[in-house]
Amino acid sequence: MASPTPLQGLDLVDCARANAKQGIETTADLCGYGKDLNTFRHELEKACQHMGVEFHELSDLIRDETPLMQMGGEIVAPDTPSEL
């Protein structure tokens, strides 16, 4: 569901990470920026810089979980949001 207002800060970075694989147009829309890709990119760069997250393009936010699995690691997460 798209945000009714443009997200900022941590909320923006979290939304962008969650949707980055869908492409910049979809991600910008879901983060509340509609088709304003320039403002979306500017605000995302600013939020990432403030958080100390390296950002050059949207694909930088896609987390690769493969190395963890190759090392025999295990991803632990609740089954439902209510179990957080």
Side-chain angles (χ1 to χ4, degrees):
M1 181 174 179
S3 175
T5 59
L7 298 175
Q8 303 270 320
L10 178 60
D11 291 333
L12 175 58
V13 175
D14 284 346
C15 181
R17 274 190 174 141
N19 297 292
K21 289 182 180 179
Q22 297 180 56
I24 192 165
E25 292 87 5
T26 301
T27 303
D29 187 46
L30 292 172
C31 292
Y33 289 86
K35 298 192 183 311
D36 189 355
L37 300 182
N38 289 329
T39 302
F40 168 69
R41 181 175 173 80
H42 174 74
E43 291 299 320
L44 186 55
E45 285 176 350
K46 189 168 67 173
C48 285
Q49 183 179 27
H50 180 69
M51 293 174 57
V53 174
E54 186 173 341
F55 176 82
H56 301 286
E57 57 186 51
L58 192 59
S59 63
D60 292 339
L61 299 179
I62 297 173
R63 291 184 179 160
D64 185 12
E65 296 175 351
T66 305
L68 178 62
M69 298 307 288
Q70 289 174 344
M71 293 187 308
E74 184 175 336
I75 297 175
V76 179
D79 292 328
T80 65
S82 64
E83 292 180 355
L84 292 175

